[in-house]
Each structure stands twice: as structure tokens, then as C-alpha cells.
Amino acid sequence: MAMTLGALMALSTVIAVAWTLTESSPVPLADRFGDVEKVVSTSLEALRACVGTDNLSPQDGNLTHQVLASVASVTGALAPAVVLGVVMIKLFALRPFVWRRRASISHAWAADFPGYSREHAASDDAIIAVRFYNYLDNLTVVDLRARAHLRYLERSPHDGSLVIYKKWLKVLDEKGEPADERSWLAVERGAPFTVWIPLDAPADALPFRHIQGKDLSDSVGVKLLVRLTARTVGLGTEVVDERWFDLDGDDFERGRFTPLHADPAVDVWDWRGWDGFDEVLADEGTPPDVPPGSDAVPVPRDPSAAG
């Protein structure tokens, strides 16, 4: 808005100067520009014309004035539409989510699902955790859904050209079971949400080269995409956001993310652990010690992981 107003003011000043220069008047040019009040008045009149609330009155037979008045009128017709379009785009192209800087990769038993953790207590498989939160105070987001897919390039067996492939990935649902998407009914402001993506393979080093049955050893340009879709209460608009993670870049780190300890009695920004949102735990802990076939819930591996 400030840039648009500045541009309109600059245009109106140019029009006022050109208007004064080409004005048919017995008054010398120096005296015309010396009359600051009149020049400013012409500039303001041109500004009103450029925003569509007034019109310039050209002198009879003055072609230059006719052109300047036409420019101001056309600008006045287009400017409100442009400004309204910018406002509408900014209003409805909402991106309320803040993503954790990196995706963390930890052992599968470190996931926040007791059943899944039990099943992988003796496994070396790893899991990816992608975290985010809604930072807007006055926007209620509901019906949030998260999906993930893999994009990679491989050589064609026919001509050797690089071909782009995409693979939908399974994520853990609210029960801790592999599913096509993860959904949440409501998204509290500031509360962290996590998308868990099983590798179904160990990740002894980065970059990992196996994920959900796909061997990436011969692949290039590998990226992981996590896409969020939701709706807003009040506006009724759809919110879409996404984050790309480059497998060969600096977008992944080993270790379990630092947990946040929810406390309804204080503001979310004051929750313990919030200042370490982008950090990982120095020690992941140890797998849960649960006898085979037991329905017991495993004890958290680290006291701080209980949150």
C-alpha cells in the first residue's frame, strides 16, 4: 500500500509539473513555479484524479493537457482495481505455518506413538519427523491434513535422459499406523504439530538412501515434500502450505527433536522447551523395554520426552 501510494504521488507530481510547463498563461514560467501553493494544489488535484475521485480540467485547445488528463483518468480507473487485487491476494493467500528449520531423523522407536514404538523396539529402522506450528493469533485453522511425497530423478534406460519420478509416502496417522495422510480436527495457535514419515529402513548416515522400499542410490535431485491443507474459521478459505526438504542439502539432521512441554496454565510461547524448537536432543535415549506380546505402554526414554 505504501509503495502504491508513493508511486501515485510521484506520478501526480510529474503531471503537475508538466501541466504547469504547458499551461497557456501570460504569467512567466518562473513565476508560475514560484507560486508554490498553486503547484501543490495542482499536484493534489492530479493525485485525486489518479485515485479516481476527481478529474483534471484541461485548457481548451491544449493537447498536452488533454493527454495528461487522460493519463490521470486511466490511472484513476485502474489504481483501485490493482490495490483491491493486491489486498485480496494478501488476504486470502495465507501462510500461517512456521516450519522447523530441518527435518529430524531418529530411531523408529522414538516416535510419539506407544504401539508403533513397541513394534520397533528391537528395530534399527529410522523415522523422519517434520514439525510446524500456526503462528497467527487471530486465525483459527481447522481440518488440517498433511501428506508427503518423494521426488527424484533417474536415468532413462532407453536414452539416458533424466526423468522425474514422484512417489507418495506413507505417514503415521493418529493411531500411529501408516496411512496416506495425517489429519487434525483443530490447530491450536503456537502448538507444535509433527508429521512422522517412516523410512522402513535404517539411516546410519546422511543422506539416507532407502525410504519405504525405494533405493535412492542411483537417484539425483531427491527432495521430500510435505504439503498441508486446511480451512480457516470465519474466512472460510482454504489454506495450502508446503515445505521441500533437499536430501543432499542441509535440510535433515540426525536426532530426536527437542520436545515442548504443554502447559494450559501459561501462554504457549512460555512452554518449557519452546526456545529449543529447532534443536535436537543430545541423547535419544534407549528403546522401550517391553516383553514380547505385552500390552504395556513403554516408559518414556527420557523424562523430557514425555511432552
Side-chain angles (χ1 to χ4, degrees):
M1 292 295 292
M3 292 176 62
T4 302
L5 181 59
L8 291 175
M9 292 179 64
L11 177 60
S12 63
T13 301
V14 172
I15 291 176
V17 171
W19 192 277
T20 304
L21 282 172
T22 58
E23 185 179 18
S24 298
S25 173
V27 180
L29 186 60
D31 293 340
R32 272 183 270 167
F33 279 104
D35 190 349
V36 178
E37 183 177 350
K38 183 178 180 180
V39 174
V40 172
S41 178
T42 304
S43 299
L44 293 176
E45 187 178 356
L47 178 61
R48 291 194 297 271
C50 287
V51 297
T53 61
D54 202 351
N55 292 303
L56 289 173
S57 301
Q59 291 180 328
D60 293 337
N62 192 323
L63 181 60
T64 304
H65 277 200
Q66 292 285 350
V67 172
L68 293 174
S70 299
V71 170
S73 296
V74 171
T75 303
L78 296 178
V82 172
V83 172
L84 180 61
V86 171
V87 172
M88 295 298 286
I89 290 174
K90 289 296 184 181
L91 180 62
F92 292 107
L94 299 173
R95 301 196 66 179
F97 301 109
V98 173
W99 299 80
R100 189 175 182 274
R101 189 166 53 90
R102 294 174 179 168
S104 63
I105 300 179
S106 56
H107 286 94
W109 46 256
D112 285 333
F113 298 97
Y116 186 86
S117 181
R118 269 198 309 270
E119 293 174 6
H120 293 79
S123 171
D124 290 329
D125 287 355
I127 192 167
I128 300 173
V130 177
R131 307 199 90 194
F132 60 91
Y133 63 90
N134 169 26
Y135 75 94
L136 295 179
D137 289 326
N138 299 320
L139 182 70
T140 302
V141 180
V142 297
D143 295 334
L144 175 65
R145 300 178 184 274
R147 301 192 72 176
H149 88 251
L150 191 70
R151 190 213 71 176
Y152 56 94
L153 287 76
E154 291 184 351
R155 295 288 178 183
S156 169
H158 302 290
D159 55 18
S161 61
L162 284 174
V163 181
I164 297 178
Y165 295 91
K166 295 182 175 67
K167 171 184 173 65
W168 285 107
L169 298 176
K170 295 292 185 180
V171 300
L172 297 188
D173 63 13
E174 65 277 3
K175 298 178 181 179
E177 299 175 354
D180 291 333
E181 66 178 20
R182 174 71 162 99
S183 62
W184 293 270
L185 180 63
V187 183
E188 295 84 356
R189 189 267 298 178
F193 289 79
T194 306
V195 181
W196 296 94
I197 307 170
L199 285 183
D200 293 337
D204 298 325
L206 293 179
F208 59 86
R209 287 304 175 188
H210 293 83
I211 180 171
Q212 297 187 14
K214 173 59 185 174
D215 185 353
L216 300 170
S217 300
D218 298 325
S219 305
V220 297
V222 183
K223 290 189 177 183
L224 170 69
L225 169 67
V226 177
R227 177 174 294 147
L228 307 176
T229 58
R231 299 195 66 82
T232 60
V233 175
L235 294 177
T237 58
E238 185 178 55
V239 177
V240 180
D241 201 357
E242 63 184 25
R243 174 70 185 274
W244 289 89
F245 296 90
D246 190 346
L247 188 65
D248 294 317
D250 193 32
D251 294 336
F252 292 89
E253 62 183 348
R254 291 179 58 83
R256 194 178 191 278
F257 55 80
T258 300
L260 270 68
H261 300 260
D263 185 353
V266 300
D267 188 77
V268 63
W269 311 119
D270 294 325
W271 288 358
R272 182 160 58 92
W274 184 258
D275 54 353
F277 183 78
D278 278 313
E279 299 175 3
V280 293
L281 294 175
D283 183 7
E284 233 175 78
T286 57
D289 185 12
V290 178
S294 172
D295 292 329
V297 176
V299 178
R301 298 157 296 284
D302 185 288
S304 65

